[in-house]
């Protein structure tokens, strides 16, 4: 049968300080699940806000490996999407005829046939976000309007970012926070490269922004010099 999302949202929903992977529960929902046909973790046709959260290794046999926003409104802040996969568009995120706002997020190592990190066919606001290291499908694909497209680092695709370089990221671990994310390493082009007008007051861990001269792009503020072990 057709299944959309481990969480299927038609009203209003907020997710904060959450790790969502194929082995983690949210508000009574528990994985692992068989891959969904749209939205490996979340299918939204209502209103969803996601902050300070991590989505790792979610899978959709259709679109939106972590989140499929279809005719809905989605706002995502200070969150990490790593290793998610879809068999069609949007390895981590799909925006289909909806409105999506993405600020200070890190999308890394996701995969899809099109838009390995992000596929957009709606209205998109994209700020201070990095999308990189997608395994297939290029990092970002958009056929809809990018109403805001400020100070993003996107290695490949057609989303016209300010920066296209390798972000130079550390392994996935907690870094003294409550959720897993990827830190910036010394020399990362994301350091101090964010838009100050869109700078959030803290990063995904709750560390203050900016750390130095300016806000950093992505979910992590600052950099580390000692690598921590990657989570299994």
């Amino acid at each position: 049968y057709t299944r959309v999302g481990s969480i299927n949202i038609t009203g209003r929903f907020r997710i904060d300080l959450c790790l969502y992977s194929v082995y983690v529960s949210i508000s009574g929902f528990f994985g692992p699940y068989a891959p969904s046909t749209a939205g490996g973790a979340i299918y939204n046709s209502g209103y969803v806000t996601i902050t300070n959260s991590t989505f790792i290794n979610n899978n959709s046999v259709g679109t939106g490996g972590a989140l499929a926003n279809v005719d809905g409104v989605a706002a995502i802040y200070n969150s990490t999407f790593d290793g998610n996969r879809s068999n069609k568009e949007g390895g981590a995120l799909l925006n289909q005829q909806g409105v999506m706002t993405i600020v200070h997020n890190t999308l890394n190592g996701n995969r899809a046939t099109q838009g390995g990190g992000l596929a957009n066919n709606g209205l998109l606001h994209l700020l201070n976000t990095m999308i990189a290291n997608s395994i297939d499908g290029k990092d970002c694909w958009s056929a809809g309007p990018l109403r805001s497209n400020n100070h993003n680092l996107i290695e490949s695709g057609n989303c016209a970012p300010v920066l296209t370089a390798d972000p130079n990221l550390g392994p996935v671990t907690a870094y003294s926070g409550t959720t897993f994310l990827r830190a910036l390493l010394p020399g990362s082009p994301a350091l101090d490269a964010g838009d100050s007008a869109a700078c959030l007051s803290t990063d995904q861990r709750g560390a203050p922004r900016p750390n130095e001269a300016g806000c950093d792009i992505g979910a992590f503020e600052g950099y580390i010099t000692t690598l921590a072990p990657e989570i299994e």
Side-chain angles (χ1 to χ4, degrees):
Y1 62 93
T2 299
R3 190 184 69 76
V4 288
S6 302
I7 299 175
N8 186 2
I9 300 167
T10 58
R12 293 181 181 271
F13 198 75
R14 181 179 180 88
I15 297 170
D16 185 43
L17 285 172
C18 183
L19 168 65
Y20 198 97
S21 77
V22 292
Y23 299 108
V24 177
S25 62
I26 295 181
S27 301
F29 295 87
F30 184 78
Y33 290 96
S36 69
T37 56
I42 297 172
Y43 178 90
N44 177 57
S45 59
Y47 299 84
V48 63
T49 300
I50 299 168
T51 59
N52 305 322
S53 297
T54 298
F55 294 75
I56 298 177
N57 296 335
N58 295 284
N59 185 15
S60 169
V61 297
T63 58
L67 166 65
N69 183 55
V70 180
D71 297 316
V73 177
I76 310 168
Y77 305 100
N78 270 340
S79 293
T80 297
F81 296 81
D82 206 283
N84 301 285
R85 177 176 183 172
S86 75
N87 287 357
K88 295 182 180 179
E89 296 87 11
L93 301 175
L94 170 75
N95 185 37
Q96 181 68 35
Q97 297 179 344
V99 178
M100 183 174 281
T101 300
I102 304 172
V103 184
H104 274 301
N105 293 278
T106 298
L107 284 66
N108 180 80
N110 302 287
R111 68 189 304 169
T113 57
Q114 187 163 251
L118 168 66
N120 173 57
N121 193 21
L123 192 154
L124 180 65
H125 300 276
L126 188 62
L127 305 98
N128 289 353
T129 288
M130 70 170 62
I131 311 176
N133 300 316
S134 295
I135 298 169
D136 293 309
K138 303 215 170 174
D139 292 305
C140 185
W141 172 83
S142 181
L146 274 71
R147 291 292 176 86
S148 305
N149 188 15
N150 299 345
H151 294 249
N152 301 301
L153 188 159
I154 303 172
E155 278 194 281
S156 63
N158 71 343
C159 294
V162 170
L163 298 171
T164 58
D166 185 335
N168 197 17
L169 298 174
V172 175
T173 191
Y175 298 106
S176 301
T178 56
T179 55
F180 297 119
L181 70 166
R182 288 188 183 270
L184 302 176
L185 300 180
S188 170
L191 290 166
D192 300 330
D195 180 2
S196 59
C199 184
L200 300 177
S201 59
T202 61
D203 72 357
Q204 184 174 335
R205 303 164 297 162
R209 296 183 189 267
N211 182 56
E212 292 185 344
C215 269
D216 301 334
I217 295 173
F220 189 95
E221 183 73 14
Y223 62 89
I224 61 164
T225 56
T226 302
L227 295 181
E230 184 140 2
I231 61 168
E232 297 295 332

